[in-house]
Amino acid sequence: MPDPGARAAILVKVRERIVRFAASKVGAEYADDLANDTIQVVETKYRDKDSEADLIPLAVGVMKNKIREFRRQRDRGHAPLDEARAAAADDSRDADLRRLLYDSIARLGPRCRELFRLQLEGYTSPEIQRRLGARTLRTLYTWTFRCTEELRKIMNAAPAANKETR
Amino acid sequence: MTPAPDPRSLIGAYATGSLTRTERELLMRAALEDDSLFALLAEADDWREALADEDFRQTVLARLRATSEPIRPSWRDRLAAVFPKPWLTGAAAAAGIVVILLVRSGYLSESSPAARIALGDAGLAALHSADLLQTPTPAERALESSSRADPPPAARDAALALDRAGSNPAYRIGDRQRIGFTLPERASVLLAEELPDGSAVRLFPNRFQESPSVQPNQTVRVPPDGQGDRQVEGPPGQRVIRLLVFPPDIDPLAPGLAWEGLKAQARVVERRYRVNP
């Protein structure tokens, strides 16, 4: 049975994080409303979830959709919503991101490429540690952090149109 | 017990969908309290969504496999994996190095009491060459299972051999094994092993030998010279090693290949062996 008390406490904090994140994406004046909309969706749609591990990824997904809707509305002004055009724009953004991710992963150094390959193949951290020859799991986690940072650096160096978080 | 990782170091695994439940809980709890980590998580969620699409994931994997380079730990790191405790005396470390050299050169079995006492299981694992095995992609699995169900003609001029004699030699779990094959003409090949449960692993190409192309009369050893021996692992039972031979202009790892179109050009050689417990 979900614990309503725990759930409520988590959602309070999730809301705080969303307000700050949304402020950086859509402006402080709209961040509160966006956070409220997001939490409302999470509260009504995911009543059976009460852990951080479940609620936060769900909230992040809903938040991104809300940000996308906000931008769409801002861009079209008073014009009516053209759903087909909006969907096409989303598909185009998805395709751009995949191209960027694909090219960026290919530009990583050999160890980082190997690490991502093993992760994508489904190996566990201890198995990856052994295969890459990391002395400890902590070493592997350090490598993973550096590789993720390298990937972010490569992707952020790309043209602005590809970088927008949806 | 391993200390908890820095939650930031889990972002990459979140994007690739490879977090354990414990790691996921750790990351999410930390992101709940930290704006910058929450922002990193939101960014990585875009990557995660993209990689959750199976077709895209396989496309990225294919690219990574094609450009995979062997990452061999240095001798220092491998010795350190065997001797993690810095307070070991010089004499004990020297004795351990002797054991490692004897095992690597085949004079001492990995399963022998001397090796197990000197190196322990963690040390033996450090010498293991199991990073040779490649999990087939869905397309490869389909090709491999089709070639089993509808086999091509035998490649009578190809030689495929194990390092033990007999039509169905026996190995024990933990034994070392080497496989070799030779073809009289240039070809592209796929070497796979069928396990008792019906699953398959690809032995060649592999992370040390990336290209499926072989030259005429070239003896290809798996693992290649200088990379040690393959260690036979469980489960026990009958194994089949299959060498699929294709014309040199065919890349058997290319996506989208259908067996119906390939069969006429393919040939096969099989060898069997048993794994006892």
Side-chain angles (χ1 to χ4, degrees), chain B residues 197-270:
Chain B
D197 62 0
S199 64
V201 289
R202 169 159 48 86
L203 300 178
F204 180 95
N206 55 60
R207 59 182 297 168
F208 301 118
Q209 302 155 301
E210 289 175 2
S211 168
S213 295
V214 296
Q215 298 303 313
N217 301 313
Q218 171 196 6
T219 298
V220 178
R221 292 189 182 83
V222 176
D225 290 334
Q227 298 298 339
D229 297 334
R230 182 190 178 204
Q231 188 176 54
V232 176
E233 295 177 330
Q238 185 67 51
R239 305 278 177 95
V240 180
I241 305 251
R242 303 178 77 245
L243 182 71
L244 282 172
V245 183
F246 301 93
D249 56 331
I250 289 181
D251 179 0
L253 299 181
L257 291 180
W259 180 242
E260 295 75 27
L262 287 175
K263 184 187 166 187
Q265 304 175 76
R267 292 168 295 152
V268 69
V269 185
E270 284 186 1

Side-chain angles (χ1 to χ4, degrees), chain B residues 170-205:
Chain B
Y171 293 79
R172 302 185 79 90
I173 293 174
D175 281 353
R176 288 136 68 101
Q177 183 190 67
R178 299 203 77 194
I179 302 165
F181 60 86
T182 310
L183 296 161
E185 55 201 18
R186 206 159 72 86
S188 288
V189 306
L190 205 60
L191 183 71
E193 179 177 72
E194 184 189 333
L195 277 67
D197 62 0
S199 64
V201 289
R202 169 159 48 86
L203 300 178
F204 180 95

Side-chain angles (χ1 to χ4, degrees), chain B residues 46-57:
Chain B
D46 289 340
W47 310 349
R48 185 198 58 76
E49 276 191 20
L51 290 166
D53 178 276
E54 189 58 29
D55 285 342
F56 178 65
R57 191 181 184 95

Side-chain angles (χ1 to χ4, degrees), chain B:
Chain B
M1 194 166 118
T2 306
D6 181 343
R8 281 164 208 275
S9 69
L10 300 174
I11 291 282
Y14 173 71
T16 54
S18 54
L19 286 177
T20 62
R21 181 82 190 171
T22 306
E23 288 169 341
R24 188 179 168 93
E25 284 168 358
L26 176 69
L27 173 60
M28 297 308 160
R29 270 194 204 121
L32 197 59
E33 308 289 342
D34 184 329
D35 285 330
S36 63
L37 184 57
F38 186 86
L40 284 176
L41 185 69
E43 182 183 49
D45 199 66
D46 289 340
W47 310 349
R48 185 198 58 76
E49 276 191 20
L51 290 166
D53 178 276
E54 189 58 29
D55 285 342
F56 178 65
R57 191 181 184 95
Q58 290 301 325
T59 302
V60 172
L61 257 178
R63 177 84 177 261
L64 288 172
R65 285 172 187 148
T67 57
S68 175
E69 295 174 32
I71 307 293
R72 298 286 293 176
S74 66
W75 265 109
R76 199 175 77 167
D77 285 344
R78 284 157 83 178
L79 275 176
V82 177
F83 300 112
K85 297 181 174 53
W87 47 260
L88 266 182
T89 64
I97 290 169
V98 169
V99 170
I100 290 172
L101 290 173
L102 288 172
V103 169
R104 290 287 287 169
S105 55
Y107 288 107
L108 190 64
S109 166
E110 291 175 14
S111 319
S112 69
R116 291 207 167 269
I117 290 168
L119 302 179
D121 286 338
L124 289 167
L127 298 178
H128 199 251
S129 66
D131 48 0
L132 182 68
L133 298 180
Q134 306 279 293
T135 306
T137 63
E140 271 179 70
R141 262 186 244 125
L143 185 75
E144 208 269 328
S145 67
S146 297
S147 69
R148 264 188 277 156
D150 184 19
R156 303 208 180 281
D157 47 2
L160 171 64
L162 298 167
D163 57 352
R164 290 188 187 177
S167 60
N168 194 16
Y171 293 79
R172 302 185 79 90
I173 293 174
D175 281 353
R176 288 136 68 101
Q177 183 190 67
R178 299 203 77 194
I179 302 165
F181 60 86
T182 310
L183 296 161
E185 55 201 18
R186 206 159 72 86
S188 288
V189 306
L190 205 60
L191 183 71
E193 179 177 72
E194 184 189 333
L195 277 67
D197 62 0
S199 64
V201 289
R202 169 159 48 86
L203 300 178
F204 180 95
N206 55 60
R207 59 182 297 168
F208 301 118
Q209 302 155 301
E210 289 175 2
S211 168
S213 295
V214 296
Q215 298 303 313
N217 301 313
Q218 171 196 6
T219 298
V220 178
R221 292 189 182 83
V222 176
D225 290 334
Q227 298 298 339
D229 297 334
R230 182 190 178 204
Q231 188 176 54
V232 176
E233 295 177 330
Q238 185 67 51
R239 305 278 177 95
V240 180
I241 305 251
R242 303 178 77 245
L243 182 71
L244 282 172
V245 183
F246 301 93
D249 56 331
I250 289 181
D251 179 0
L253 299 181
L257 291 180
W259 180 242
E260 295 75 27
L262 287 175
K263 184 187 166 187
Q265 304 175 76
R267 292 168 295 152
V268 69
V269 185
E270 284 186 1
R271 285 289 173 267
R272 295 171 179 272
Y273 71 97
R274 285 171 290 123
V275 175
N276 297 330

